[in-house]
Amino acid sequence: MMEQKKTNKEYLEQVHLHPLFSGAPAAEFGALMEACSLQSFSKNQRILYSQSPRDGLLLILEGLTEVYVSFSKTKEKNQEVLEVLEKGEVIGLSSLADFLGEPAAEENNFTVEVRAIEESVCLYIPYHVMEKVWHREEVRDFVMRHVAVRLRDIYASLAEQVHLAQKWGESDPFIQRVQDVMNAPPLMVEEKESIQHTAEKMVDQQASSIVVVNEKQRLQGIITEKDLVQRVIAADRQTGTAGDIMSSSPFTISRRAYYYEAMSSFLMNGIKHLPVVNEDSNSQVVGMITLSDLLKKQNRGKFDVLREIEASSSESLSEVKFAIYEVLGHLIDDGIPILHIMKVVTNLYDRLIRHCTELAVEEVKEELGAPPCGFAFFLMGSGGRHEQFMMTDQDHFLVYEEPEKEEDRKSNDAYFKKLGEQIVYWLETAGYKRCDGNMMASAPGWRGTIAHWEDRIRTWGLRATNENILLGQNFLAFRWIYGSEQVRDEFVKGVSRQLGKSKIFLRRAAELEKNVPVPVLDHPIRALFRVKKEGMDIKKQALFPFHHSLQILSAEHGILGETPEEMIEQLKDKRVLDEPFADELLYAYEVVLHIRVTQSWSRYKLEEENSSEVSFRQMKSRDKEALIQALKAIRSLQTKAVAAFGMA
């Protein structure tokens, strides 16, 4: 929460001048304000969530906020901002119909969200307060004017379109430039040309789409065969121009983008045609690429795995693993950079895990009804770090809201005990073995309310044994995968709050890292690799120190629930890491991960037992030299994490 720039009295004086309350006598105004509350929000803090009930309005007294639709549950950049609201404006008018007692024509699950884009202060006005001032003409006039300007049908329709477009996730990651597979020059028509001429041009060129440009040849829109059918033939339209029937502001892609980025755009946005633009100008079209073009170029069945995941049941769930392994094998064989491989393959596993969770939720619903409160499901370990390449054992936990009534606590706990057990069952059916250490949502210690989790972190700090520190380190690799975003955010705040109070936990974790130093391998290569050392455990001696040190340093600076790449980027933004060292760490991570993945995959193909032990004899000289440099960077990170707690 931000620190308020004015006193409460000053804010209330400001409120009394607002049209909503300016007509209220002093005594009445005071009574109304007792039912309202001032709320402060930090920059980027969520104010309203989608799906959350709207039971009042928020009057902005200071700062700026934005209303947006989020069409990805994992990446904030995949959002569409609808409008920016400033001081004196009201948040929550889209729910005014509920206040007025107007029933919705149909239930719409796709609602907008609101966040502060700078430090903001708002007055929360419950609807029962609005009822008391609604008889005043100036109040109704103010609200109606705002509704007329801001609340249009586009809110609901845009939100629905954005969400419905997200049927499939990221896909093929082949490192091939879009300019290598695009059709050029693109088929274009000016927006003033007739529909008849446009259709004839598409038929002559046997094209399934055409780009619409203005007189200066700048991109205005796109027309596809589907547009012609829906907007011309079905509508029995006889006249008009290309501009009348085009889809304006189409998705585009840079000619320098990679093949996998184009495929991701097709599958994420539910489209089949992408105009290709110059990197420095989004309006200068240089080509066209279609979904069918990409399927013809690389037809290896990598897209089918997405549909296989979505359609899998108890009978077919176990087969999905092998489809993902096939994708992994192709990516490794094609020499795709390892961090790209991790993104794509982990995203496939994420889809599988969400599918298993949905199956578990539906099963528990049938037996016990809908969840009694909001909940969030998190991964830990390699899945949490976004670096899963082959199926591991299960590492996960559940977080759910505090009950409104204390007598509901036992029934809530019983509900989520059942849900945790069903999640474990479905994941096991998919091929994830149960965790030997029982770090799963089915275990009492790995599910609970936010208060439960704060207590657990406090316990780790008070009883900072090596075992508890190791549990905590695994926990800090958490990543939200399913459920309520609001619960997720409250949970992260709670963890951050408790870590701030229990500094001993992070200090003990840093102390443990100090006692397990990264191996020093900067000896002459011949002596190192042929005489002194035969190999090393790349997971325990390189990856774990990297992750643990990065997590400790990130948690100390309030960064939680992020992937290693995101942690490094945020630490750089906070000036904890300078840019050269951040680049060194990313390079080190890629080197170590590449060795880990390729050697494990080789063992898998040879049907050998999986192990994180790597042999120096089987490594190329350049890989050995890269490993030496990577370990130096990880050792520096470890030193930095330890030094943050005053330990040299």
Side-chain angles (χ1 to χ4, degrees):
M1 287 290 181
M2 63 165 280
E3 182 180 347
Q4 293 182 358
K5 297 178 181 178
K6 299 179 182 178
T7 64
N8 285 4
K9 182 180 178 182
E10 289 173 318
Y11 281 124
L12 291 180
E13 289 174 352
Q14 180 181 334
V15 171
H16 204 178
L17 296 175
H18 193 273
L20 289 176
F21 298 102
S22 59
E28 181 186 347
F29 176 74
L32 293 172
M33 289 303 99
E34 287 183 6
C36 300
S37 60
L38 286 170
Q39 298 181 0
S40 302
F41 301 94
S42 306
K43 182 179 179 180
N44 294 325
Q45 185 176 352
R46 205 83 64 95
I47 297 174
L48 290 179
Y49 291 77
S50 66
Q51 313 297 333
S52 62
R54 310 294 205 251
D55 52 7
L57 303 178
L58 286 166
L59 172 61
I60 303 173
L61 302 178
E62 189 174 302
L64 286 174
T65 67
E66 63 183 10
V67 182
Y68 64 96
V69 177
S70 177
F71 54 89
S72 170
K73 292 299 184 184
T74 57
K75 296 292 179 186
E76 287 194 357
K77 65 180 181 180
N78 292 329
Q79 294 170 346
E80 185 72 29
V81 176
L82 302 182
E83 65 175 344
V84 175
L85 303 179
E86 56 188 17
K87 180 178 175 179
E89 295 188 295
V90 174
I91 300 170
L93 288 179
S94 59
S95 60
L96 196 61
D98 297 331
F99 161 66
L100 295 173
E102 291 294 329
E106 57 183 42
E107 184 177 354
N108 187 351
N109 292 323
F110 307 125
T111 55
V112 298
E113 303 183 69
V114 183
R115 67 168 161 236
I117 53 178
E118 63 181 39
E119 292 185 345
S120 302
V121 176
C122 300
L123 178 74
Y124 169 64
I125 309 170
Y127 278 140
H128 65 81
V129 171
M130 286 298 299
E131 289 175 357
K132 294 178 180 178
V133 299
W134 193 247
H135 67 280
R136 294 195 179 93
E137 184 177 351
E138 62 269 27
V139 172
R140 297 197 301 274
D141 182 66
F142 169 80
V143 173
M144 289 303 105
R145 285 180 182 275
H146 274 62
V147 169
V149 173
R150 290 170 44 201
L151 295 184
R152 303 182 188 275
D153 291 341
I154 190 172
Y155 263 30
S157 63
L158 177 59
E160 184 175 9
Q161 288 170 28
V162 171
H163 277 277
L164 290 177
Q166 312 314 309
K167 186 174 181 181
W168 304 111
E170 292 181 352
S171 184
D172 201 311
F174 292 100
I175 304 304
Q176 188 174 20
R177 300 288 186 181
V178 166
Q179 64 187 16
D180 298 328
V181 294
M182 71 181 185
N183 297 306
L187 187 62
M188 295 192 292
V189 66
E190 289 193 9
E191 56 186 335
K192 64 184 179 182
E193 291 288 353
S194 69
I195 294 173
Q196 181 69 24
H197 174 74
T198 302
E200 288 174 355
K201 200 168 185 178
M202 291 175 65
V203 171
D204 289 344
Q205 298 296 319
Q206 297 183 334
S208 58
S209 64
I210 189 168
V211 173
V212 183
V213 296
N214 61 17
E215 293 178 351
K216 296 181 179 180
Q217 303 299 294
R218 298 296 182 181
L219 177 64
Q220 299 299 302
I222 187 173
I223 297 172
T224 66
E225 290 175 332
K226 183 179 179 182
D227 293 329
L228 289 175
V229 171
Q230 290 182 341
R231 299 171 188 173
V232 180
I233 299 173
D236 195 22
R237 188 167 192 156
Q238 304 297 321
T239 61
T241 66
D244 294 332
I245 64 168
M246 71 180 183
S247 297
S248 58
S249 302
F251 290 98
T252 62
I253 193 164
S254 165
R255 66 185 304 159
R256 297 289 296 161
Y258 289 114
Y259 172 97
Y260 78 91
E261 292 177 285
M263 182 57 69
S264 292
S265 184
F266 284 130
L267 297 180
M268 288 292 288
N269 298 314
I271 57 177
K272 296 182 180 179
H273 305 81
L274 269 176
V276 182
V277 296
N278 272 334
E279 204 161 31
D280 57 349
S281 174
N282 286 334
S283 60
Q284 184 182 1
V285 187
V286 295
M288 176 68 74
I289 188 168
T290 69
L291 178 59
S292 61
D293 291 333
L294 298 192
L295 293 175
K296 290 173 185 175
K297 295 287 182 183
Q298 293 286 358
N299 186 17
R300 298 189 176 188
K302 296 178 177 59
F303 328 108
D304 294 337
V305 68
L306 296 170
R307 293 168 177 80
E308 190 170 335
I309 290 171
E310 302 299 324
S312 56
S313 61
S314 57
E315 292 77 21
S316 59
L317 204 55
S318 61
E319 298 300 315
V320 173
K321 174 177 78 172
F322 301 107
I324 297 176
Y325 280 15
E326 184 180 356
V327 173
L328 173 63
H330 284 312
L331 302 182
I332 292 174
D333 292 344
D334 288 342
I336 307 304
I338 196 66
L339 294 182
H340 287 308
I341 293 178
M342 290 298 97
K343 286 177 183 175
V344 172
V345 176
T346 302
N347 281 336
L348 292 176
Y349 283 123
D350 283 356
R351 294 184 73 90
L352 176 59
I353 292 168
R354 288 192 192 100
H355 181 59
C356 290
T357 307
E358 287 165 355
L359 291 171
V361 168
E362 289 305 312
E363 200 163 61
V364 176
K365 271 185 183 179
E366 289 182 8
E367 182 179 344
L368 301 177
C373 59
F375 72 94
F377 180 55
F378 293 82
L379 301 180
M380 297 184 290
S382 60
R385 293 188 295 267
H386 223 187
E387 63 178 36
Q388 190 169 97
F389 60 98
M390 296 177 70
M391 276 197 177
T392 57
D393 56 355
Q394 299 186 39
D395 274 315
H396 48 72
F397 60 89
L398 272 171
V399 182
Y400 45 94
E401 294 176 318
E402 291 286 336
E404 293 184 6
K405 300 176 181 178
E406 186 60 31
E407 56 263 33
D408 294 333
R409 185 174 298 278
K410 285 188 178 180
S411 60
N412 285 11
D413 290 344
Y415 188 97
F416 289 106
K417 174 179 182 292
K418 182 67 174 179
L419 180 58
E421 291 169 349
Q422 289 307 114
I423 290 173
V424 169
Y425 165 78
W426 282 108
L427 288 176
E428 189 173 26
T429 302
Y432 287 94
K433 66 184 288 286
R434 291 175 180 248
C435 174
D436 292 336
N438 209 24
M439 288 183 281
M440 303 179 292
S442 57
W446 294 98
R447 64 174 185 271
T449 63
I450 294 172
H452 160 91
W453 284 103
E454 290 193 54
D455 286 342
R456 183 148 209 215
I457 295 168
R458 187 183 302 113
T459 300
W460 287 337
L462 293 173
R463 302 174 187 171
T465 62
N466 285 2
E467 181 182 356
N468 278 348
I469 295 301
L470 290 173
L471 287 176
Q473 286 171 330
N474 193 48
F475 164 78
L476 282 179
F478 68 77
R479 181 168 61 88
W480 176 77
I481 190 75
Y482 183 91
S484 165
E485 293 177 85
Q486 186 166 0
V487 173
R488 174 198 65 187
D489 288 355
E490 290 301 321
F491 169 73
V492 172
K493 288 177 194 172
V495 173
S496 180
R497 183 168 55 244
Q498 193 54 50
L499 286 175
K501 295 177 182 177
S502 304
K503 290 287 186 182
I504 185 63
F505 170 75
L506 291 178
R507 181 179 177 81
R508 279 284 293 118
E511 191 177 78
L512 193 61
E513 280 306 296
K514 182 183 178 183
N515 294 331
V516 188
V518 177
V520 178
L521 301 185
D522 44 358
H523 295 290
I525 290 178
R526 178 173 298 184
L528 169 65
F529 292 110
R530 294 188 182 176
V531 179
K532 294 194 174 183
K533 289 183 180 293
E534 294 294 325
M536 66 179 290
D537 189 318
I538 198 77
K539 184 176 178 182
K540 292 181 180 178
Q541 295 180 284
L543 276 174
F544 278 1
F546 171 81
H547 289 308
H548 293 166
S549 300
L550 191 58
Q551 287 166 190
I552 291 167
L553 203 55
S554 296
E556 174 67 6
H557 290 85
I559 302 168
L560 297 165
E562 307 287 359
T563 66
E565 291 171 273
E566 291 165 342
M567 288 182 196
I568 291 172
E569 187 64 28
Q570 291 189 36
L571 286 171
K572 186 174 69 174
D573 290 343
K574 289 176 178 284
R575 302 186 185 281
V576 179
L577 305 177
D578 60 32
E579 191 163 349
F581 186 49
D583 290 341
E584 286 180 32
L585 289 178
L586 285 174
Y587 171 75
Y589 182 40
E590 188 157 10
V591 166
V592 174
L593 205 55
H594 172 77
I595 294 171
R596 164 85 170 123
V597 171
T598 53
Q599 292 217 7
S600 293
W601 184 247
S602 295
R603 288 192 177 99
Y604 172 76
K605 290 196 295 184
L606 294 171
E607 298 183 354
E608 296 177 354
E609 184 179 354
N610 191 22
S611 169
S612 55
E613 288 283 341
V614 297
S615 170
F616 294 145
R617 294 182 181 276
Q618 297 174 0
M619 292 174 63
K620 298 175 182 177
S621 294
R622 66 172 180 270
D623 290 337
K624 298 171 186 175
E625 293 173 8
L627 179 60
I628 289 176
Q629 296 303 315
L631 292 177
K632 282 184 179 179
I634 295 172
R635 195 160 54 251
S636 296
L637 175 64
Q638 191 179 58
T639 300
K640 194 171 187 68
V642 168
F645 295 88
M647 292 179 278

